[in-house]
Amino acid sequence: MGVLNVTPDSFSDGGLYLDTDAAVAHAHAMAADGAAIVDVGGESTRPGAEPVAEDEELARVIPVVERIAASAAEPRVSIDTRKLAVAEAAVQAGARIVNDVSAFRSAPEMAGLVAGSGATCCLMHMLGDDPRTMQADPRYDDVVSDVRSFLEERLAFAVSEGVPEERVWLDPGIGFGKTIDHNLELLRRLDEIVAIGRPVVIGASRKSFLGRITGRDEHGRLAATVAANVVAFERGASIFRVHDVREAVDSLKVAAATFAGRWTTSPSG
């Protein structure tokens, strides 16, 4: 899942793809590098980020979604939003995945939209309900158990609203209201989240906890991102939300071949 932030203030690529042509070109480049999904977002959810008005978010993302989705040769489009109107417009424009960092808490009606449209959804854990304050003082009794319970409850809510269970992905929310130790514990015990039985999405790419460990800024965290992804893959994650698609694809191919004990060029892997 390649990250495409159509924002001025995202933590590592803010302002690079505000122009629609630039955003679409980057989507094409990520697809060529192996992205199966392009995740389009028009509102930064980094710690301290200010909310974006609905009309502004729509203006940023819908032209991009339309153009990427228009070509059958392109990857599936995901819309990264907490707003019902943005998700609805994006689905109408061709998005097939709704990626909601609030897990349908900001707009519970989004579950009905997903159910009725046939889209897939990704439900993420975030401590509290506001990215501006989620990193203020994150505390858990047991971060893995707490995140698992939250995701199980959100999965049950989505299903109760008519979303087929097979169309729900789960994301433990690396960096969303977690300390470095919380993030590392989630990666180390990710198999406990995988045990819920739904595909698990990992979004560790360029995150600040990797910078704290390595001393690198956001543009120097590629090796750290690769390491986090390989650990997550070994523990059962199956979808990886990344900025650097080519490197992520190559590293996961090697990891998959190593863990399987064989390599093959056949489509069946």
Side-chain angles (χ1 to χ4, degrees):
M1 179 186 279
V3 177
L4 181 54
N5 289 318
V6 192
T7 60
D9 57 345
S10 291
F11 76 96
S12 73
D13 56 359
L16 294 180
Y17 308 113
L18 275 175
D19 176 75
T20 298
D21 288 342
V24 173
H26 187 55
H28 291 168
M30 289 193 291
D33 283 342
I37 303 160
V38 170
D39 191 40
V40 181
E43 178 181 56
S44 174
T45 50
R46 63 177 174 77
E50 291 298 318
V52 174
E54 182 179 286
D55 58 348
E56 176 62 23
E57 189 173 343
L58 284 164
R60 290 176 181 178
V61 302
I62 299 307
V64 176
V65 171
E66 286 176 337
R67 285 183 53 187
I68 299 171
S71 172
E74 295 301 332
R76 283 189 291 171
V77 180
S78 169
I79 182 65
D80 180 358
T81 188
R82 296 177 289 163
K83 297 183 178 69
L84 176 62
V86 175
E88 185 172 26
V91 168
Q92 291 174 351
R96 303 310 304 146
I97 301 161
V98 175
N99 181 16
D100 182 4
V101 300
S102 77
F104 296 160
R105 290 180 297 160
S106 294
E109 303 87 351
M110 204 181 291
L113 167 68
V114 170
S117 67
T120 294
C121 63
C122 178
L123 306 179
M124 195 194 78
H125 175 274
M126 176 173 63
L127 187 62
D129 57 4
D130 189 343
R132 290 177 294 179
T133 59
M134 64 185 177
Q135 287 296 112
D137 185 23
R139 299 186 184 190
Y140 300 88
D141 291 332
D142 178 291
V143 65
V144 179
S145 296
D146 290 356
V147 169
R148 175 171 174 156
S149 294
F150 172 91
L151 292 174
E152 288 175 329
E153 186 277 326
R154 290 286 83 197
L155 171 61
F157 170 77
V159 171
S160 74
E161 294 294 307
V163 181
E165 185 170 323
E166 61 268 21
R167 289 202 272 108
V168 181
W169 301 344
L170 302 175
D171 183 339
I174 298 295
F176 281 77
K178 281 95 175 173
T179 65
I180 297 175
D181 288 341
H182 292 149
N183 292 322
L184 295 176
E185 187 73 357
L186 279 165
L187 289 171
R188 188 176 71 83
R189 294 167 54 195
L190 191 66
D191 57 310
E192 297 177 40
I193 306 298
V194 173
I196 296 172
R198 302 307 312 137
V200 170
V201 179
I202 284 294
S205 184
R206 301 183 183 178
K207 289 286 175 72
S208 61
F209 83 102
L210 299 176
R212 293 283 300 279
I213 293 170
T214 63
R216 307 286 186 187
D217 68 18
E218 58 267 28
H219 300 294
R221 297 171 188 166
L222 173 57
T225 298
V226 165
N229 284 342
V230 169
V231 169
F233 177 75
E234 188 273 335
R235 283 155 174 76
S238 51
I239 301 151
F240 301 85
R241 188 176 183 275
V242 299
H243 298 83
D244 304 289
V245 172
R246 181 183 303 175
E247 294 84 354
V249 168
D250 287 355
S251 61
L252 290 168
K253 282 180 178 178
V254 173
T258 302
F259 296 142
R262 60 187 174 85
W263 174 74
T264 176
T265 58
S266 69
S268 61

